[in-house]
Amino acid sequence: MPTDALVLTENPYNAEVATSQLDEAVTPTDGFFKRNHYEYPAIEGTWTVDVDGTTVSLEQIQQHPFRRFESIMECAGNGRTLLYPLPPGTPWNLGAVSNGMWGGTSLRNVLGDTGGALEVVFEGADFGDDGRGFYGRSLPAAEAMREDVLLCWEMNGQPLTREHGGPLRLVVPGAYGMASVKWLNRIYRSDKPYQGYYQVEDYQIHVPGKPSRPIGGLRPRALITRATAQEVRGWAWSGTGPVTEVEVRVGQGSLKAELGEERGPYAWRSFRCALDLGPGKHCLVVLARDAAGNVQPEAPQWNTQGYENNCAQIVTV
């Protein structure tokens, strides 16, 4: 991380950068936010993965067809500090998001097929002494077989670093970061729902008086990285469809931002809006809309763990 990173917890290490540093379309590796549940696992010798009981080396996985694409990686707790009262958990501001260039092979190239399984389970090498076991998540079998679900060993054109899950991690584009299991060392098909702690206890939306539900796909968000009297600009993304509009509200007025190039179905998209603000303080609000009709809410939607908070960002100029 850059020296001006905001370290939120030391052990496990969790850190973000100021949104003003998220200028580049592909976030530099040292500028990526870091999210951990436990200490970094030891990485020694030849990395192998247990695939349905068969030991497969990283070198064998790397023999499969290679593909590379950009994708957002966003923590489900991004924006937690905008909720009141503040829920428990890492106090992320708005910097727990980055856009990376990921390289590897489709999971289905290695797994073959689902074999009629209900789910595919993924476990990492990271674990703690809290009795919760190794970090693990599962995907519905059909979801796991998507071409873009990646066994990833490359990030931004370089070997995947330990800090970001190297030497091998899962990348599930369109989903929040908890689905993209790091330090991946076990994959298996299951005909029963996975009952791991981080699947059924954590990463759930709990709102008093309402049924709980698991976290869904990335919700639409527009993130301001620069705001002056002359312009506002930043990035917008969604996991439920391409971003089609960014609205900029200034006082009682509303403007449509100019959208930049589409960088792929899972990458963020730049926006820019020219302004002509007079003297005094002005409140800017940005709202993203995607092709599925989903729009950012203006107000936070509180839940007990502070997940999926994609409320509109407000900046004073």
Side-chain angles (χ1 to χ4, degrees), residues 101-310:
M101 179 71 77
W102 308 99
T105 193
S106 299
L107 168 70
R108 67 187 190 185
N109 291 336
V110 174
L111 200 59
D113 57 42
T114 63
L118 178 68
E119 295 184 344
V120 180
V121 180
F122 308 90
E123 290 184 352
D126 48 331
F127 70 98
D129 57 3
D130 55 8
R132 297 170 181 171
F134 290 93
Y135 182 84
R137 292 281 304 180
S138 70
L139 291 174
E143 171 79 1
M145 289 296 102
R146 285 195 300 133
E147 182 182 11
D148 293 331
V149 173
L150 204 67
L151 297 180
C152 172
W153 60 82
E154 183 191 280
M155 177 183 179
N156 295 346
Q158 299 294 324
L160 186 63
T161 63
R162 184 185 70 155
E163 288 75 17
H164 294 290
L168 187 72
R169 72 176 296 169
L170 188 69
V171 172
V172 185
Y176 282 100
M178 81 286 176
S180 296
V181 177
K182 296 182 286 187
W183 308 292
L184 187 63
N185 65 0
R186 189 184 182 202
I187 304 169
Y188 63 93
R189 290 168 284 198
S190 176
D191 59 3
K192 298 178 181 179
Y194 177 58
Q195 296 298 303
Y197 174 85
Y198 292 102
Q199 186 78 22
V200 298
E201 296 292 334
D202 202 353
Y203 296 115
Q204 302 284 317
I205 301 297
H206 300 290
V207 177
K210 295 183 179 181
S212 298
R213 65 169 177 83
I215 289 176
L218 289 170
R219 305 182 79 187
R221 188 195 294 274
L223 179 71
I224 296 172
T225 59
R226 177 178 173 82
T228 69
Q230 290 75 43
E231 70 168 4
V232 58
R233 67 188 186 199
W235 303 102
W237 64 90
S238 176
T240 53
V243 171
T244 57
E245 180 182 300
V246 173
E247 178 187 3
V248 179
R249 296 180 183 176
V250 186
Q252 300 301 310
S254 177
L255 300 167
K256 295 283 183 64
E258 175 187 352
L259 297 179
E261 65 173 328
E262 292 190 36
R263 306 186 59 84
Y266 309 115
W268 56 22
R269 189 174 185 183
S270 65
F271 69 86
R272 178 187 178 276
C273 186
L275 302 173
D276 185 15
L277 303 180
K281 291 184 178 181
H282 302 269
C283 183
L284 305 182
V285 181
V286 290
L287 296 166
R289 179 189 298 272
D290 67 23
N294 298 301
V295 187
Q296 274 187 270
E298 293 187 53
Q301 299 177 342
W302 194 88
N303 59 86
T304 60
Q305 292 178 289
Y307 290 134
E308 285 188 355
N309 177 31
N310 66 327

Side-chain angles (χ1 to χ4, degrees), residues 74-75 77-83 92-96 221 306 309 311:
E74 181 181 17
C75 178
N78 196 28
R80 180 175 282 130
T81 56
L82 301 180
L83 295 172
W92 298 107
N93 299 295
L94 287 171
R221 188 195 294 274
N309 177 31
C311 70

